[in-house]
Amino acid sequence: MLYPLPVVMVSCAEDEKYNIITVAWVGTVCTNPPMLSISVRPERFSYGMIARTKEFVVNLTTKKLARACDYCGVKSGKDVDKFKETGLTAMPAAYVKAPLIAQSPVNIECRVKQIVKLGSHDMFLSEVLGVHINKEYLENNGKFELSRAEPVVYSHGEYYGLGELLGSFGYSVKKKGKR
């Protein structure tokens, strides 16, 4: 009952073939070195591509990308070219052969360090090699403007947008009158 979850599109590549899989089981696992994990069912087409190449790109989703995100979760890359069918644009990555999704506000290039067999899903424990942020979502001071990106989350088969800012780290103990 941990909800909602971030929903991302994970792009992968093998032998000049690109694919996208929608993943809701994704998360940060370490700051130094920067690492994240994704969990994927072994029977998924993308699972084999990622397991063999040991690399992928996590592409954050937005309200505008919700339909493409859903499509990439229900159609198999074995049967369709998801980039072509969704109108998403593949861009070269800096560190891996898997492409970035140009329309995504943030792309995170990853190299698999370990595959942990868990049961219904296997976890790809991965090192972050590079992060790309679309300048459209940056403030003048370089801070990522989350609300401008209109991120999407997933809960029990449904997609939701995120709401208003409720506070920032430490706001519960900040003294009144201090900024």
Side-chain angles (χ1 to χ4, degrees):
M1 292 304 297
L2 293 176
Y3 65 89
L5 302 164
V7 62
V8 300
M9 292 184 285
V10 174
S11 50
C12 50
E14 184 178 38
D15 300 328
E16 308 300 316
K17 179 169 177 62
Y18 293 162
N19 196 38
I20 306 167
I21 181 174
T22 299
V23 175
W25 293 355
V26 58
T28 302
V29 296
C30 189
T31 301
N32 192 9
M35 296 180 76
L36 61 76
S37 69
I38 62 170
S39 292
V40 180
R41 289 183 180 272
E43 59 270 15
R44 297 294 298 263
F45 180 67
S46 295
Y47 178 97
M49 295 175 83
I50 295 168
R52 288 186 294 272
T53 64
K54 303 280 192 282
E55 58 185 41
F56 59 89
V57 177
V58 171
N59 302 276
L60 300 191
T61 57
T62 65
K63 185 176 175 180
K64 289 178 189 171
L65 294 173
R67 188 171 190 80
C69 180
D70 181 66
Y71 183 91
C72 291
V74 296
K75 291 292 190 177
S76 175
K78 180 173 38 178
D79 304 320
V80 297
D81 177 340
K82 294 181 190 180
F83 278 95
K84 180 181 175 191
E85 295 300 317
T86 59
L88 295 173
T89 306
M91 282 182 25
Y95 303 101
V96 299
K97 290 185 177 133
L100 312 177
I101 296 175
Q103 292 85 346
S104 176
V106 178
N107 318 93
I108 306 168
E109 296 185 56
C110 299
R111 177 156 300 123
V112 176
K113 301 300 271 180
Q114 182 180 359
I115 301 171
V116 182
K117 300 208 175 282
L118 300 171
S120 64
H121 290 67
D122 290 351
M123 180 176 63
F124 292 92
L125 189 58
S126 307
E127 183 177 10
V128 172
L129 302 177
V131 177
H132 309 273
I133 301 172
N134 184 322
K135 291 179 181 151
E136 174 184 340
Y137 301 102
L138 291 178
E139 293 179 356
N140 290 338
N141 63 3
K143 180 181 179 240
F144 180 68
E145 182 55 50
L146 184 69
S147 64
R148 215 179 298 158
E150 297 184 298
V152 174
V153 294
Y154 183 81
S155 181
H156 304 283
E158 299 175 323
Y159 303 95
Y160 293 90
L162 289 182
E164 66 185 275
L165 173 67
L166 302 177
S168 57
F169 183 76
Y171 85 101
S172 65
V173 296
K174 192 177 264 185
K175 292 183 179 167
K176 295 186 190 251
K178 295 258 181 180
R179 290 201 143 225

